[in-house]
Amino acid sequence: DDADLVARARAGDTVAFERLFEKYHAPVLNYLHRMVGDRALAEDLTQDSFVKAYKALPGTRPDLAFKAWLYRIATNTAISHLRRKKLIRWVPILGTQDYASNESIERSVGRRHDVETALKQLPTHYAAVLILRHYEGLSLAETAEALGISENAAKLRLFRARKAFAAVYAEPSSPLDDTATLTGSEDLR
């Protein structure tokens, strides 16, 4: 139970935090790998995220939604790194599957490339909301908390991100030109 582990870890129980680390390490690592496109860098960012969480945990509220809070730390860590390096690379959102034929492999590689191309053309905050919600499986409330925005802002951002992704995905060779209409007045923090 996360609530019990979080309460114990907040009180200084390192074994409880180790259990939280074991539970969330792989999902956070995979999320960050999709964000930065480099496994070694994702491992470093994951480690940084858990160190930040460990240090900040004693000062959190008792009703902390740990999973969303941890993804928020990971998201902010990745975005800070990407801003510093001005490197925004996304890897395919589609998972690997077993294939029956070379033809299906070619179709899948093509789709994966199209998804990667589309995600690269989206603003970071749109790609992040899509990955958190659709690939990592966070609820809308958890996604909102992970991004540090309200649930209504998350709904709006997800709607706009899906719309922008669909437009770019339909025309993968054309760049995303109209970013002014995509950002609107939502909280883009």
Side-chain angles (χ1 to χ4, degrees):
D1 178 43
D2 278 1
D4 179 53
L5 288 173
V6 170
R8 290 179 25 220
R10 185 181 297 110
D13 183 344
T14 56
V15 173
F17 190 81
E18 287 173 18
R19 288 197 181 134
L20 289 167
F21 176 85
E22 290 168 4
K23 180 176 181 179
Y24 290 106
H25 180 266
V28 169
L29 174 62
N30 291 334
Y31 168 64
L32 290 171
H33 183 217
R34 284 176 187 81
M35 286 194 68
V36 299
D38 179 320
R39 186 74 174 187
L41 175 58
E43 289 172 0
D44 290 343
L45 294 175
T46 300
Q47 191 68 25
D48 289 347
S49 298
F50 276 98
V51 168
K52 290 175 184 177
Y54 182 77
K55 289 179 179 179
L57 191 57
T60 60
R61 297 184 330 256
D63 62 342
L64 175 70
F66 182 79
K67 181 179 178 181
W69 178 73
L70 183 60
Y71 273 104
R72 182 176 185 179
I73 291 171
T75 300
N76 290 343
T77 301
I79 288 172
S80 293
H81 174 79
L82 293 171
R83 282 183 183 148
R84 280 191 309 271
K85 298 295 181 183
K86 296 190 187 252
L87 170 70
I88 300 177
R89 288 184 32 208
W90 300 94
V91 296
I93 198 169
L94 301 175
T96 58
Q97 303 172 358
D98 292 328
Y99 297 98
S101 71
N102 286 339
E103 190 175 297
S104 62
I105 291 172
E106 290 173 14
R107 278 195 309 270
S108 175
V109 169
R111 278 194 311 270
R112 228 180 262 161
H113 175 73
D114 292 345
V115 168
E116 180 180 351
T117 300
L119 284 173
K120 283 180 182 178
Q121 294 179 49
L122 294 178
T124 305
H125 60 280
Y126 283 171
V129 73
L130 288 171
I131 293 171
L132 286 170
R133 182 74 174 110
H134 294 293
Y135 191 85
E136 296 299 324
L138 270 64
S139 70
L140 189 60
E142 290 172 327
T143 300
E145 191 165 333
L147 295 174
I149 58 177
S150 71
E151 199 167 330
N152 284 337
K155 284 180 190 177
L156 180 59
R157 187 177 296 178
L158 185 59
F159 172 79
R160 290 178 176 171
R162 287 174 179 156
K163 187 175 178 181
F165 180 85
V168 172
Y169 189 77
E171 297 291 333
S173 61
S174 67
L176 185 61
D177 294 325
D178 194 11
T179 55
T181 61
L182 296 176
T183 57
S185 61
E186 66 177 303
D187 177 12
L188 300 178
R189 214 170 25 121

